[in-house]
């Protein structure tokens, strides 16, 4: 029995020794087993193995590893960059984990196949210069279904300008938006799911940039560049230090089929004369000549000569008493112009305080002016999205008196009584006023229409409570009628409640009488007061926040053989009504209890 136990212990010890000394092999990660789309330039990866001190990698082009393509030992990381010799070839690989003492653990043996070879480029030839920006790229046909073309601004293709996948043909046309710039291109082929490595990277440099047109700016028009007729202007463009000459073309055709002016110069400016052609469109462009290579023509700029100037008609020159707000300023029609710009100012140089009105669709306008009894200057020109015309001759006029600026009651006042006094700003001696009061804001349904009032106030009585009224004032200064003020508005207080019960001078039997009154339109709540005197100096009962038109006071009873006075008023967000008429009643003597 003891012998069997001893044998068991020895077996266990032997088994533990074998387990502790078994060498764990690496687990391969990539390239995946049976992968058939691998580059010749690849990275082998495997999982780390605990306790391993290094790794050994073997790659063979035979399944039994009789001929090694790569054999590398003493690798202390879990990856290895390799370059293989051939495209479209099978390779077998495995990794050994190496332990102290030199023992090894061998991984599984995986196989992969390299891709088809990269595409061969044909055109644009490498390092070609002065290339048209409408570039055409060509490469050799490969055993492929599709191609991918990449064009980059750098040789590492970190800033790709253009990429087109799934190209069927071996030629592609691409618009390059850069001038005098070196670009890089490459192609890859695809069959099935496998994309070849990129081809060699070739470069090319586009043509010199065309000159940049500076002045007049594109779309410059009318009086912005042509102050007078005949219309002369200087064309200016950017300097190219390498350019020997520049060609200039000016045409009335956007396609430059005919030329109004055509010239060459070594300078970067050129003066043209467009004579007196009103509202006419011209195009201009420039190109440079550099080292036997013409740049592209610049994008053409267009310029337009101005509209002719209009003639002012109203107000007449030097006219007086012109309204500050209801004036009409008119001028003659300009052929071709669909809109006009008007300027009115108290500054004869049209520099400060210019009141400008744009996009006027007719030959007249109204301008709001801020100075009364003052001289103004005005001018007008045709100006729309198409063109800017010449300014008209300058006319002058004088404004009338301004309207009042302060009013009582203030505009939009509420809670006003029906009997009140309207007042406004006083303009001093020898001044008269016209006043209109109406029940509508258009002042059509007039209640008061008075003229030549010699005071700056007017007592009035309006018809109704809880109603809005509208009024306006104008000033007469000498022979000039001033402008009407803006329409002022006020609203009278809500109606006064009508008392119902207890009736006036009534005898009430109950010690807790019920008070009622009519329901007032727009009232939110009511106040009721009950007093022992008609002046309400001493209140017996009251409530300041009733939401209904009836009330019974709880608590202390009313006293028999006593006369009481009561009144009610209505309230809303605009204020309180006047107190109602005062009613009184007397509590009847009570019958004695049995």
């Amino acid at each position: 029995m003891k012998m069997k136990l001893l044998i068991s212990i020895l077996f266990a010890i032997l088994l533990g020794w074998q387990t502790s000394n078994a060498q764990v092999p690496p687990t391969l990660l990539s390239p995946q087993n049976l992968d058939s789309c691998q580059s010749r330039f690849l990275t082998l990866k495997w999982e780390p193995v605990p306790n391993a001190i290094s790794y050994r990698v073997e790659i063979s082009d035979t399944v039994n590893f009789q001929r090694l393509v790569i054999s590398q030992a003493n690798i202390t990381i879990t990856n290895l960059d390799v370059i293989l010799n051939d495209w479209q070839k099978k390779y077998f690989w495995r990794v050994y984990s190496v332990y102290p003492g030199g023992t090894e653990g061998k991984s599984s043996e995986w196989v992969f196949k390299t891709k088809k070879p990269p595409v061969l480029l044909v055109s644009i030839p490498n390092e070609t210069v002065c290339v048209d920006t409408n570039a055409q790229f060509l490469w050799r046909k490969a055993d492929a279904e599709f191609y991918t073309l990449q064009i980059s601004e750098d040789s590492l293709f970190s800033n790709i300008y253009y990429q087109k996948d799934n190209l069927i043909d071996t030629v592609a046309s691409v618009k390059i938006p850069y001038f005098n710039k070196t670009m890089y291109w490459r192609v890859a082929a695809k069959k099935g799911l496998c994309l070849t490595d990129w081809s060699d990277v070739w470069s090319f440099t586009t043509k010199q940039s065309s000159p940049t047109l500076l002045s007049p700016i594109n779309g410059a028009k009318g009086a912005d560049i042509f102050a007078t007729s005949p219309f002369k202007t200087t064309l200016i463009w950017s300097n190219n230090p390498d350019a020997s000459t520049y060609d200039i073309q000016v045409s009335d055709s956007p396609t430059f089929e005919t030329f109004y002016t055509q010239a060459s110069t070594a300078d970067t400016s050129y003066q043209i004369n467009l004579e007196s052609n009103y509202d006419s469109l011209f195009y201009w462009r420039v190109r440079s000549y550099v080292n036997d290579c013409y740049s592209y023509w610049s994008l053409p700029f267009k310029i337009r000569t101005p509209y002719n100037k209009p003639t002012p008609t109203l107000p007449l020159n030097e006219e007086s008493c012109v309204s500050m707000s209801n004036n009409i300023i008119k001028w003659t029609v300009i052929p071709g112009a669909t809109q006009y710009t008007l300027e009115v100012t108290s500054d004869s140089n049209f520099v400060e305080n210019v009141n400008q009105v744009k996009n006027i669709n007719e030959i007249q306008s109204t301008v709001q002016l801020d100075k009364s009894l003052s001289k103004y200057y005005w001018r007008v020109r045709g100006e729309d999205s198409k063109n800017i015309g010449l300014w008209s001759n300058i006319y002058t006029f004088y404004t009338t008196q301004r309207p009042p600026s302060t009013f009582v009651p203030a505009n939009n006042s509420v809670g006003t009584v029906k009997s009140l006094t309207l007042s406004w700003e006083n303009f001093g001696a020898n001044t008269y006023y016209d006043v209109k009061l109406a029940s509508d804001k258009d002042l059509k349904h007039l209640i008061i229409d008075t003229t030549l009032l010699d005071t700056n106030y007017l007592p009035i009585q309006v018809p109704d409570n809880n109603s809005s009224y509208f009024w306006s004032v104008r000033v007469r200064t000498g022979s000039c009628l001033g402008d009407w003020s803006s329409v002022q508005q006020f609203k009278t207080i809500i109606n006064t409640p009508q008392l119902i019960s207890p009736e006036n001078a009534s005898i009430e039997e109950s010690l807790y009488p019920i008070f009622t009154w009519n329901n007032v339109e727009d009232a939110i709540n009511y106040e009721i007061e009950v007093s022992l005197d008609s002046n309400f100096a001493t209140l017996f009962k009251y409530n300041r926040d009733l939401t209904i038109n009836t009330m019974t006071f709880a608590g202390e009873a009313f006293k028999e053989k006593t006369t009481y006075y009561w009144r009610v008023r209505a309230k809303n967000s605009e204020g309180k009504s006047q107190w109602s008429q005062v009613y009184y009643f007397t509590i009847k003597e009570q019958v004695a209890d049995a």
Side-chain angles (χ1 to χ4, degrees):
M1 187 66 179
K2 291 182 179 180
M3 183 60 70
K4 290 183 178 179
L5 179 60
L6 181 59
I7 292 172
S8 298
I9 293 173
L10 290 174
F11 179 77
I13 292 172
L14 179 62
L15 180 62
W17 181 85
Q18 289 178 337
T19 301
S20 64
N21 286 275
Q23 306 310 311
V24 178
T27 300
L28 304 185
L29 295 178
S30 68
Q32 289 289 316
N33 194 26
L34 302 179
D35 188 342
S36 61
C37 188
Q38 273 298 316
S39 174
R40 287 175 48 223
F41 311 90
L42 74 158
T43 300
L44 305 176
K45 294 182 181 180
W46 56 91
E47 289 187 352
V49 178
N51 302 320
I53 61 173
S54 65
Y55 303 93
R56 183 164 59 88
V57 174
E58 291 182 347
I59 304 176
S60 174
D61 57 5
T62 60
V63 68
N64 55 10
F65 286 82
Q66 289 181 350
R67 183 172 60 247
L68 294 179
V69 176
I70 291 175
S71 178
Q72 188 165 337
N74 299 320
I75 303 169
T76 58
I77 57 177
T78 57
N79 59 76
L80 178 65
D81 294 330
V82 298
I83 302 175
L84 302 174
N85 296 326
D86 299 309
W87 296 105
Q88 284 191 287
K89 187 170 185 177
K90 282 186 178 182
Y91 288 93
F92 303 85
W93 70 292
R94 61 191 178 190
V95 179
Y96 292 85
S97 54
V98 181
Y99 291 85
T103 58
E104 295 180 332
K106 185 180 71 172
S107 71
S108 302
E109 295 174 353
W110 281 11
V111 61
F112 62 86
K113 185 178 180 181
T114 52
K115 307 175 183 182
K116 296 178 185 297
V119 173
L120 296 176
L121 304 184
V122 176
S123 181
I124 303 168
N126 193 25
E127 299 183 349
T128 301
V129 296
C130 206
V131 172
D132 195 300
T133 54
N134 292 310
Q136 188 174 71
F137 301 88
L138 178 66
W139 54 93
R140 286 188 182 177
K141 186 175 180 62
D143 182 15
E145 297 171 334
F146 303 103
Y147 301 93
T148 295
L149 168 64
Q150 280 188 346
I151 305 172
S152 174
E153 297 180 39
D154 63 277
S155 59
L156 298 178
F157 287 78
S158 59
N159 188 10
I160 295 175
Y161 158 69
Y162 177 90
Q163 176 169 323
K164 183 68 173 178
D165 301 313
N166 300 325
L167 289 167
I168 299 175
D169 205 351
T170 58
V171 63
S173 296
V174 180
K175 174 68 176 178
I176 307 298
Y178 308 115
F179 299 99
N180 193 28
K181 184 174 179 66
T182 300
M183 305 289 287
Y184 302 84
W185 69 289
R186 64 186 182 182
V187 177
K190 185 177 183 181
K191 188 170 184 178
L193 299 177
C194 189
L195 186 71
T196 68
D197 278 12
W198 290 107
S199 66
D200 291 337
V201 175
W202 282 9
S203 68
F204 62 92
T205 303
T206 54
K207 285 185 178 184
Q208 289 281 335
S209 61
S210 59
T212 300
L213 306 188
L214 300 178
S215 179
I217 63 172
N218 190 27
K221 53 193 174 184
D224 285 351
I225 52 173
F226 303 107
T228 58
S229 175
F231 304 124
K232 295 180 181 180
T233 190
T234 299
L235 308 178
I236 304 173
W237 54 92
S238 63
N239 178 45
N240 185 340
D242 299 323
S244 56
T245 58
Y246 300 92
D247 293 340
I248 307 101
Q249 290 182 345
V250 180
S251 175
D252 55 6
S253 165
T255 57
F256 291 82
E257 296 171 358
T258 57
F259 303 107
Y260 191 87
T261 296
Q262 186 169 217
S264 293
T265 179
D267 203 353
T268 56
S269 65
Y270 186 79
Q271 188 180 67
I272 59 170
N273 184 350
L274 301 178
E275 300 179 354
S276 296
N277 298 305
Y278 288 105
D279 191 26
S280 298
L281 188 62
F282 294 91
Y283 303 84
W284 67 286
R285 64 183 183 181
V286 179
R287 71 178 178 183
S288 60
Y289 185 70
V290 181
N291 298 328
D292 296 327
C293 183
Y294 283 107
S295 73
Y296 287 105
W297 284 105
S298 65
L299 291 175
F301 274 15
K302 59 184 178 180
I303 54 178
R304 184 181 287 273
T305 56
Y307 292 127
N308 203 348
K309 61 183 181 180
T311 300
T313 57
L314 283 178
L316 298 175
N317 199 24
E318 297 290 320
E319 184 175 337
S320 60
C321 293
V322 175
S323 171
M324 296 174 63
S325 58
N326 296 316
N327 50 66
I328 296 179
I329 300 177
K330 300 183 70 173
W331 52 89
T332 57
V333 172
I334 296 302
T338 59
Q339 293 178 324
Y340 298 87
T341 293
L342 170 66
E343 288 187 347
V344 184
T345 178
S346 55
D347 174 18
S348 60
N349 295 318
F350 288 81
V351 175
E352 298 180 353
N353 305 316
V354 177
N355 192 333
Q356 187 179 77
V357 185
K358 300 179 72 70
N359 304 321
I360 304 171
N361 296 317
E362 50 188 348
I363 56 170
Q364 67 179 40
S365 182
T366 297
V367 180
Q368 295 292 326
L369 305 173
D370 57 1
K371 294 182 180 180
S372 60
L373 305 177
S374 300
K375 184 176 183 178
Y376 277 88
Y377 304 82
W378 71 281
R379 62 185 182 180
V380 65
R381 68 182 180 187
E383 182 175 354
D384 49 32
S385 60
K386 187 183 75 171
N387 203 359
I388 300 173
L390 300 177
W391 286 111
S392 68
N393 295 334
I394 297 172
Y395 271 29
T396 63
F397 63 83
Y398 297 85
T399 53
T400 187
Q401 183 60 274
R402 66 176 176 82
S405 60
T406 58
F407 302 89
V408 177
N411 193 29
N412 295 317
S413 295
V414 295
T416 304
V417 296
K418 292 194 295 183
S419 179
L420 70 158
T421 297
L422 304 178
S423 64
W424 50 90
E425 179 185 1
N426 191 347
F427 281 73
N430 302 318
T431 303
Y432 298 90
Y433 308 93
D434 298 341
V435 181
K436 290 182 178 182
L437 173 72
S439 58
D440 64 297
K441 61 182 178 181
D442 295 326
L443 304 181
K444 291 183 179 179
H445 300 92
L446 292 174
I447 300 171
I448 294 175
D449 186 4
T450 184
T451 59
L452 296 174
L453 191 67
D454 59 359
T455 61
N456 67 318
Y457 59 88
L458 178 65
I460 64 168
Q461 174 79 33
V462 293
D464 301 308
N465 279 325
N466 199 27
S467 299
S468 293
Y469 294 93
F470 306 85
W471 62 294
S472 180
V473 181
R474 73 177 174 186
V475 184
R476 293 175 179 257
T477 302
S479 60
C480 279
L481 280 176
D483 289 326
W484 285 102
S485 69
S486 60
V487 176
Q488 306 294 300
Q489 177 181 354
F490 64 88
K491 188 176 182 181
T492 51
I493 59 177
I494 60 175
N495 284 314
T496 303
Q498 299 296 317
L499 306 186
I500 298 176
S501 66
E503 295 180 0
N504 195 29
S506 63
I507 304 297
E508 297 295 316
E509 294 188 5
S510 173
L511 296 179
Y512 293 93
I514 299 174
F515 298 89
T516 59
W517 55 91
N518 75 310
N519 193 28
V520 176
E521 182 182 3
D522 294 333
I524 297 175
N525 46 32
Y526 302 91
E527 294 183 5
I528 181 171
E529 292 181 350
V530 181
S531 177
L532 292 170
D533 62 273
S534 60
N535 293 324
F536 291 82
T538 303
L539 296 180
F540 175 66
K541 300 274 188 179
Y542 66 90
N543 192 312
R544 303 296 187 196
D545 197 24
L546 285 169
T547 57
I548 57 176
N549 59 332
T550 184
M551 172 68 187
T552 301
F553 289 100
E556 181 184 356
F558 284 72
K559 295 179 174 59
E560 60 182 320
K561 296 189 294 183
T562 302
T563 299
Y564 295 93
Y565 301 86
W566 71 289
R567 63 185 182 180
V568 178
R569 66 181 174 187
K571 298 190 297 183
N572 62 12
S573 59
E574 297 176 351
K576 301 176 181 179
S577 74
Q578 294 181 326
W579 284 108
S580 67
Q581 180 183 1
V582 177
Y583 275 16
Y584 73 92
F585 63 90
T586 303
I587 301 298
K588 184 179 179 181
E589 182 180 3
Q590 301 297 299
V591 177
D593 292 336

